[in-house]
Amino acid sequence: MTALPIYLDNHATTRTDPRVVESMLPYFTEHYGNASSVSHRFGWEAGDAVDRAREQVACLIGAEPSEIVFTSGATEANNLALKGTALASRAKGGNHLVCSSVEHRAVLDPLRRLARESGWQLTVVPCEPSGRISVEAVENALTDRTVLVSIMAANNEVGTLNPIGAIGRLCRDRGILFHTDAAQAVGKIPIDVQGDAIDLLSLTAHKFHGPKGIGALYVRRQDRRARLVSLVDGGGHERGLRSGTLPVPLIVGLGRAAELARVEGPTDADRMRTLRDRLDRTIRSLLDDQGIVLNGHPIDRLPNNLNLSFEAVQGEALLMGLRSIAVSSGAACSSAEPEPSYVLRAMGRDEQLGRASLRFGLGRFTTREDVDQAAKVVTETVARLRQSASGGSAPDPDLAWNDL
Ligand SMILES: *Cc1c(COP(=O)(O)O)cnc(C)c1O
């Protein structure tokens, strides 16, 4: 049991691609200048690297480099988009914000704070049983005083994709800003801020094989301008929207990861989809297709996501039995406070199915062997737990474990 578990938790974070690490190293050791230093070569080199990375990130989502604001990740990008918009539009008579019930906490919590402390009205749009947010549900929530709609591009638990292009165009027609948390979508599916009529978009490098601690907010400047008030004031970096010395190595890593996602994303997606479908098929066939519920949309979902609930199994016991694979479970979600998944509850799953759920997240480095081994471990564990629950003579869990 000294071998590392098989890593299938790529929605939580991804391995930094060795090519990304390589690109970052010189910016720690040789080109360590401050990108704002304009009077010497150290600064120029750092500044050039930041410019290049800004272009690479912009290119991935169809934006202009001047529309990219570097942040510490998607949490900060979401906070800047939501609170920054609220602060900028308070004087203009707007009083209403819209999001969905299955947003990441990094969207829900800032919006709830605005509602609680700053007098904003917040409408939380419910999802369909697949986790999808319909355009109609968003349209029904809009009022004359809606300032901003925030709907995620892809859900981080069940991978369901939302019709963001249609929601974006609806918002544009009504003169409302559209923000999307695209932390899970960027690098996995094509995103185009023009075609999808997106005004604000959050992304983070560590979800697509870049380093942790760096992300970006896309802020529309073309056609119509998304106006924001900054949350971090200081030296006026990033057009005054996010002060602080730029972390050049991290930014270079984000840029390289974006470049790799642009070039290799489509083939990565095809490969992950094939492996994901194989994992799904293998689990189902090894359990005779008994008592397995797919969480998420059967078609419109991320190519690297598989979220399954198992009937007649206790969630905690399931997770305990799976120590040789690194996955996420409805029984102990990845956030700091373990509670049964609010996403699965919003989709109508009952307590048992919500807890006895597993989220498999594939990545660029997932192999066929990983997937086959995971299917074997999961199905053996589920079968054993079901047998013991039904009063059958189950083998001791730890002994069974060592046999695997
Ligand atoms: C991971 C994630 C975040 C948080 O990103 P950080 O860069 O870790 O702050 C926000 N939203 C979604 C949908 C995510 O998957």
Side-chain angles (χ1 to χ4, degrees), residues 321-364:
L322 292 177
R323 278 164 299 181
S324 73
I325 58 171
V327 289
S328 188
S329 155
C333 73
S334 55
S335 86
E337 306 155 43
E339 54 178 49
S341 157
Y342 63 86
V343 172
L344 295 179
R345 249 185 294 146
M347 291 165 57
R349 294 283 172 270
D350 66 24
E351 179 86 15
Q352 185 274 324
L353 284 179
R355 286 183 176 277
S357 67
L358 295 176
R359 177 186 72 176
F360 303 93
L362 285 67
R364 182 177 288 159

Side-chain angles (χ1 to χ4, degrees), residues 73-144:
T75 300
E76 188 190 334
N78 287 340
N79 272 267
L80 176 56
L82 304 170
K83 294 175 181 165
T85 298
L87 283 168
S89 53
R90 186 157 30 208
K92 295 191 206 126
N95 74 347
H96 183 228
L97 306 163
V98 174
C99 72
S100 85
S101 58
V102 293
E103 295 301 312
H104 193 275
R105 290 274 304 273
V107 165
L108 284 171
D109 287 3
L111 288 176
R112 288 189 187 127
R113 185 185 293 281
L114 287 168
R116 198 169 58 238
E117 295 178 2
S118 310
W120 287 85
Q121 314 250 313
L122 174 63
T123 301
V124 179
V125 174
C127 66
E128 295 172 346
S130 67
R132 196 165 178 275
I133 312 303
S134 73
V135 186
E136 295 72 33
V138 173
E139 187 163 19
N140 290 337
L142 303 180
T143 74
D144 290 344

Side-chain angles (χ1 to χ4, degrees), residues 11-88:
H11 299 296
T13 194
T14 59
R15 173 184 167 191
T16 310
D17 192 301
R19 295 169 290 181
V20 170
V21 176
E22 184 90 14
S23 73
M24 295 168 63
L25 293 177
Y27 293 91
F28 288 105
T29 52
E30 292 165 55
H31 313 302
Y32 47 79
N34 186 320
S36 304
S37 299
V38 293
S39 60
H40 54 69
R41 197 168 134 195
F42 291 92
W44 303 331
E45 280 167 349
D48 288 349
V50 168
D51 290 346
R52 208 156 42 241
R54 207 184 291 283
E55 268 172 44
Q56 289 167 319
V57 173
C59 199
L60 180 63
I61 58 170
E64 291 294 323
S66 61
E67 298 174 307
I68 302 298
V69 176
F70 292 117
T71 65
S72 61
T75 300
E76 188 190 334
N78 287 340
N79 272 267
L80 176 56
L82 304 170
K83 294 175 181 165
T85 298
L87 283 168

Side-chain angles (χ1 to χ4, degrees), residues 280-301:
D280 192 17
R281 251 193 344 265
T282 312
I283 290 174
R284 286 176 191 280
S285 82
L286 289 174
L287 288 174
D288 296 327
D289 229 337
Q290 293 299 301
I292 304 169
V293 179
L294 173 73
N295 299 312
H297 197 285
I299 297 154
D300 292 331
R301 62 187 158 130

